[in-house]
Structure formats: structure tokens, C-alpha cells
């Protein structure tokens, strides 16, 4: 079977420190998959290693049938993967429109059509396209970061805590937007602190602990799992 994304046995870290000790995740075509786990488990590190921002010391990353292990992020973007980092995911001094253009910087063709398509998906951004991104609320900023990541119509979207710091109502709105993106055909790998909500929107999930795969399975099964409930869903 070919997956939209298949990371196998990834080892990565910072300097002397090895953080990921052979982590594997897959995302099928059109699937939405959540990664949950405690602070410091290596969730962000995993996404960075998948996206070529951190060298994979061992293991493999495949995007469809293409081996993209340790390719540079711009090559990975060109191959069809986009990434929204946990922090600093928009340029505050640039306008909304300029931020979106940056999302397509590796290609100049079809820019007006790409902008139009993304504005249709995010109508709230349209009327503010000349405003500086720094003026947006937290939720609108996350919308812009998502919109920018969609400029090249990726097959796989990596999201690092898109709901962090938002009000419960905004969290729900963001998840609904991510689901809409997923239903339109983009496979999504989602790292989240809001574990219950993330699992409830996803088909499958992984629990990462101390840089290792701890549990994986159907999202509904993980929500019902006693250990997951106790440790990550705030149940006693
Ligand atoms: N740039 C860095 N240099 C050195 N160590 C780092 C760096 N970034 C992260 N780490 C360490 O790597 C480990 C995993 O961090 P990571 O950010 O991947 O965890 P996480 O699961 O995303 O946590 P959180 O839920 O807090 O976002 C932690 O021990 C962290 O201190
Ligand atoms: Mg993180």
C-alpha cells in the first residue's frame, strides 16, 4: 500500500541529544491523523524531521511513492507537503496578501488563481487582504497560517498545535476548518494538546511518549482507552 505520508523509524535530535528514537507514523490518502502526547514528547521534533528542518539520523520519509528523506523544505514543498509550525507561522509586518504570496514563493505560475481559491476557502481574510498580519486576532492568524500552507494545494498538510492559545469556541472553528480542508482531499497530520477534540475530528491517532511510539489506533478507540483518558484527556 502506498501512503500519502509514511515516516519509518525516524531518529532525530539536537546536538548530542537524541529526541526521537525510531518513530513511525503513516497517513493514508485523504486521511486525518492526530498525534498526541505530553509536553516534550517530541511531537514538534517529529514534524520538523518529516519536513526536512531537522536531519533524520536514521529512518525514512516517503511522500506518496517519493523518498523525501532529508530533502530541503523547499523541495519537500514542491513535492506536495506543507507545514504550519507551532509558533511564528505568519509574518506580522507583511499584509495578509503578501503572507499568502509567500506560501507560493517556490512557484510564480498561476498566482492570481491560487490566491482566489484560498480566499474562497477563507472569506474572512478577503476583506482584510491589505491589513498587516500582525493586526489579526489569534484565531485569524491561525486561519492565515492555514491558508498560506494551502497556496500550493498540498497532498499532505502537517499542523503543529493549530488550536494553541485559542478560546474553546475558536478551537472548534479551527478544527472545523481543518476538517473541511481534509474533506476537500488533503491528508492531514495534526499535532495537538487538545487531545479529545483532535481525536474526535481524526480517523486515527498516535500517542507519542519520550520520543517513542506508545499507542496507535482508531481515534474512537483511543478516546475510549483507559490510559489515554487518564493521561491525556483529563479523566481520573
Ligand atoms: N531547538 C532545540 N534545541 C535543543 N533541544 C530542543 C530543541 N527543541 C526541542 N528540544 C527538546 O526536545 C524535546 C522534545 O521537544 P518537542 O518540542 O519536540 O516536544 P513537543 O512534544 O512538541 O512538546 P510540546 O507539547 O511542549 O510542544 C524536549 O526535551 C525539548 O526540550
Ligand atoms: Mg510542540
Amino acid at each position: 500500500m502506498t501512503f500519502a505520508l509514511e515516516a519509518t523509524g525516524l531518529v532525530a535530535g539536537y546536538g548530542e541529544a537524541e529526541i526521537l528514537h525510531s518513530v513511525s507514523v503513516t497517513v493514508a490518502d485523504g486521511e486525518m491523523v492526530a498525534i498526541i502526547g505530553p509536553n516534550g514528547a517530541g511531537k514538534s521534533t517529529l514534524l520538523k524531521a518529516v519536513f526536512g528542518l531537522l536531519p533524520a539520523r536514521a529512518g525514512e520519509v516517503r511522500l506518496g511513492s517519493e523518498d523525501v528523506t532529508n530533502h530541503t523544505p523547499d523541495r519537500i514543498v514542491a513535492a506536495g507537503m506543507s507545514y504550519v509550525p507551532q509558533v511564528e507561522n505568519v509574518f506580522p509586518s507583511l499584509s495578509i496578501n503578501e503572507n499568502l504570496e509567500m506560501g507560493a514563493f517556490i512557484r510564480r505560475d498561476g498566482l492570481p488563481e491560487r490566491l482566489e481559491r484560498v480566499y474562497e476557502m477563507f472569506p474572512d481574510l478577503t476583506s482584510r487582504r491589505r491589513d498587516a498580519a500582525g493586526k489579526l486576532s489569534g484565531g485569524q492568524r491561525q486561519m492565515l497560517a492555514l491558508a498560506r500552507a494551502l497556496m500550493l494545494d498540498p497532498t499532505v498538510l502537517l499542523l503543529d498545535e493549530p488550536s494553541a492559545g485559542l478560546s474553546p469556541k475558536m478551537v472548534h472553528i479551527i478544527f472545523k476548518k481543518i476538517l473541511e480542508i481534509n474533506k476537500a482531499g488533503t491528508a492531514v497530520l495534526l499535532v495537538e494538546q487538545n487531545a479529545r477534540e483532535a481525536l474526535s475530528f481524526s480517523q486515527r491517532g498516535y500517542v507519542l511518549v519520550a520520543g517513542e511510539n506508545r499507542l496507535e489506533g482508531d481515534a474512537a478507540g483511543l478516546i475510549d482507552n483507559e490510559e489515554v483518558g487518564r493521561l491525556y484527556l483529563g479523566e481520573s
Side-chain angles (χ1 to χ4, degrees), residues 111-129:
L111 185 59
E113 294 77 17
R114 292 175 189 282
L115 283 167
E116 236 16 76
R117 190 176 50 80
V118 166
Y119 279 125
E120 265 171 38
M121 291 186 77
F122 296 86
D124 292 352
L125 296 177
T126 312
S127 57
R128 307 191 59 181
R129 61 173 80 194

Side-chain angles (χ1 to χ4, degrees), residues 38-45 48 86 160-161 191 193:
N39 293 122
K43 304 181 298 296
S44 296
T45 302
K48 287 181 209 164
Q86 186 168 350
D160 197 348
E161 300 203 24
V191 162
Q193 289 287 330

Side-chain angles (χ1 to χ4, degrees), residues 187-202:
V188 177
L189 183 61
L190 173 73
V191 162
E192 260 300 334
Q193 289 287 330
N194 284 305
R196 177 183 297 283
E197 193 123 25
L199 288 171
S200 73
F201 278 90
S202 299

Side-chain angles (χ1 to χ4, degrees), residues 98-200:
E98 287 163 342
N99 267 279
L100 292 177
E101 286 177 5
M102 294 290 285
F105 79 98
I106 59 162
R107 295 177 58 160
R108 274 351 242 176
D109 62 302
L111 185 59
E113 294 77 17
R114 292 175 189 282
L115 283 167
E116 236 16 76
R117 190 176 50 80
V118 166
Y119 279 125
E120 265 171 38
M121 291 186 77
F122 296 86
D124 292 352
L125 296 177
T126 312
S127 57
R128 307 191 59 181
R129 61 173 80 194
R130 301 287 156 217
D131 287 358
K135 284 191 190 163
L136 297 175
S137 69
Q140 288 168 330
R141 239 184 236 224
Q142 288 296 354
M143 289 290 184
L144 175 59
L146 281 177
R148 190 172 60 136
L150 293 175
M151 280 294 287
L152 293 177
D153 201 10
T155 56
V156 175
L157 181 59
L158 309 177
L159 301 176
D160 197 348
E161 300 203 24
S163 78
L166 302 180
S167 67
K169 188 174 160 217
M170 199 64 218
V171 169
H172 200 72
I173 292 172
I174 286 278
F175 275 118
K176 277 172 65 178
K177 183 55 81 176
I178 295 166
L179 188 63
E180 189 186 313
I181 292 164
N182 173 247
K183 294 257 191 256
T186 304
V188 177
L189 183 61
L190 173 73
V191 162
E192 260 300 334
Q193 289 287 330
N194 284 305
R196 177 183 297 283
E197 193 123 25
L199 288 171
S200 73

